[in-house]
Amino acid sequence: MTVKVSMNVNGKAVSAEVEERTLLVTYIRENLRLTGTHVGCDTAQCGACTVHMNGRAIKSCNIVAMQSEGADILTIEGVAKPDGTLNVMQEAFREHHALQCGFCTPGMVLSAMDLLKNYPDPTEREIREQLDGNLCRCTGYHNIVKAIKAAAATMRG
Ligand code: FES
Ligand code: FES
């Protein structure tokens, strides 16, 4: 059985007929071709599929597309400005070499952006605790923490 789903993705209204069981991550990757949202585990453990839904980080493999009916979704493709200028968090990841293979990076960046809303001046421990749902198989955690602290400092001015 199919259902019509409509939402805003990266500021653009989109809608499609999908099977009821279609995961949000599948809809994003296969219908919208926004392949920066990755699938690492499909069981809500790795965080590679993280996107923002109505401003909060969620794991898009953990909900079906129709649960985001009418929602505002932000994927990694919508984080930089339209002219390509990187967001503060993306720039900090680049500056501090916070990625190796890059597979976890979109989810890390989106989770880190959400983290700073609640922890504008996070300690290393808070960063590590808040990001425990995002796994980096390259074990690049040290530089990821550094990047998030740097982005927080930039945002605090
Ligand atoms: Fe969603 Fe791993 S693919 S948490
Ligand atoms: Fe490779 Fe994190 S940079 S998985």
Side-chain angles (χ1 to χ4, degrees):
M1 178 147 172
T2 63
V3 284
K4 184 175 179 191
V5 293
S6 303
M7 62 191 87
N8 288 305
V9 178
N10 302 333
K12 196 172 131 199
V14 293
S15 90
E17 285 283 334
V18 297
E19 286 188 44
E20 286 179 343
R21 63 180 179 171
T22 303
L23 296 173
L24 179 59
V25 68
T26 308
Y27 177 67
I28 289 170
R29 286 179 56 83
E30 295 180 13
N31 290 67
L32 303 180
R33 307 303 301 162
L34 295 172
T35 54
T37 304
H38 295 155
V39 179
C41 66
D42 229 354
T43 51
Q45 294 177 64
C46 75
C49 64
T50 303
V51 299
H52 286 189
M53 182 160 101
N54 297 328
R56 301 312 310 259
I58 60 145
K59 292 177 176 176
S60 61
C61 76
N62 204 27
I63 66 169
V64 290
M66 64 182 188
Q67 286 176 280
S68 45
E69 173 68 27
D72 286 319
I73 302 292
L74 177 69
T75 73
I76 195 66
E77 288 87 352
V79 171
K81 292 197 180 132
D83 69 0
T85 306
L86 296 180
N87 165 283
V88 170
M89 189 63 71
Q90 291 174 306
E91 182 58 34
F93 268 60
R94 189 190 68 76
E95 180 74 19
H96 294 275
H97 312 291
L99 55 138
Q100 293 174 57
C101 78
F103 193 82
C104 71
T105 310
M108 285 285 183
V109 166
L110 284 152
S111 289
M113 288 166 62
D114 191 21
L115 183 160
L116 292 192
K117 290 180 193 159
N118 295 325
Y119 298 87
D121 188 8
T123 63
E124 175 169 349
R125 184 178 177 154
E126 285 168 339
I127 293 171
R128 288 181 182 272
E129 281 177 0
Q130 293 303 311
L131 287 187
D132 72 350
N134 289 75
L135 305 181
C136 176
R137 289 165 179 77
C138 302
T139 66
Y141 297 106
H142 184 68
N143 285 358
I144 290 169
V145 171
K146 259 176 40 186
I148 294 170
K149 279 183 90 60
T154 303
M155 287 174 72
R156 290 195 310 276

